[in-house]
Amino acid sequence: MQRIERKAMCMNDFMKGRNGADELTIVLGLTGIVIAMIGSMARIQWLSWIAIAVIVLGVLRGLSKNIDARRKENDAFVTTTANVPGLGKFVASLGGGTSAANASRAAGTSKEDFERAKRMAKKMWKGRKTTAYLKCPSCGQILSVPKGKGKIRVTCPKCHAKMETRS
């Protein structure tokens, strides 16, 4: 397990400061795969070469360190495809978490988030017999309440939302 974690850490270090996968990169990769499939089914050699070129272009975009230029390209692509029926919704669905993931990768917080989740899981496992854990519906904060108290009213310390629950 330690070897796998080391390799993951090396990959995280390698990708720090790089563009990563955004909407345009993903669409380039999918387009390359589709063109390659069509080329191989139709037995058209030059179509397979175009597919390889498109996939390589996508990979190079993902590994690029010129994030500002790639972001401008991606924004132009997203705005251009936004009004195309069907394609606009598809491209928008690809970007669900990529910008947040890229921001977290650039900040280097992914390992810290993992460690925090690991500590929380250990704490929850340790207190599983005496404590009930629930998630605040408004902000997502994990709250701990004593088990076996019946119906209780809980106030979130983060957003001050009130809720009733059984413990």
Side-chain angles (χ1 to χ4, degrees):
M1 189 66 171
Q2 222 174 21
R3 183 176 172 205
I4 294 171
E5 288 175 0
R6 255 195 325 265
K7 292 208 181 264
M9 295 274 293
C10 288
M11 184 55 112
N12 280 345
D13 290 342
F14 175 74
M15 286 304 290
K16 276 186 187 166
R18 296 184 190 271
N19 187 45
D22 56 6
E23 290 90 345
L24 181 55
T25 304
I26 294 169
V27 169
L28 283 172
L30 291 174
T31 305
I33 291 170
V34 169
I35 293 172
M37 288 173 50
I38 292 170
S40 66
M41 284 191 284
R43 298 181 191 261
I44 302 172
Q45 184 71 32
W46 57 268
L47 211 53
S48 297
W49 288 106
I50 291 173
I52 291 171
V54 170
I55 292 171
V56 166
L57 181 65
V59 169
L60 291 176
R61 278 193 90 261
L63 295 176
S64 174
K65 287 192 173 188
N66 191 351
I67 295 174
D68 291 332
R70 301 297 86 81
R71 189 169 291 141
K72 286 178 186 174
E73 291 169 358
N74 188 55
D75 290 341
F77 172 72
V78 170
T79 54
T80 303
T81 59
N83 296 329
V84 177
L87 184 63
K89 282 186 178 179
F90 174 71
V91 170
S93 70
L94 292 176
T98 55
S99 59
N102 287 340
S104 118
R105 238 182 273 130
T109 59
S110 59
K111 183 173 192 248
E112 291 84 12
D113 289 343
F114 175 74
E115 291 297 327
R116 186 180 307 114
K118 190 172 152 185
R119 283 193 310 270
M120 187 64 185
K122 277 186 180 179
K123 180 181 172 185
M124 289 171 75
W125 181 256
K126 199 178 239 184
R128 71 186 181 279
K129 293 181 180 175
T130 59
T131 309
Y133 296 94
L134 53 114
K135 195 178 240 187
C136 175
S138 358
C139 69
Q141 177 77 23
I142 296 179
L143 309 172
S144 59
V145 294
K147 267 191 179 177
K149 297 291 182 184
K151 196 171 194 177
I152 57 173
R153 187 175 182 101
V154 181
T155 304
C156 176
K158 187 175 180 183
C159 69
H160 304 291
K162 294 180 182 352
M163 65 199 102
E164 282 193 24
T165 184
R166 293 191 59 80
S167 65

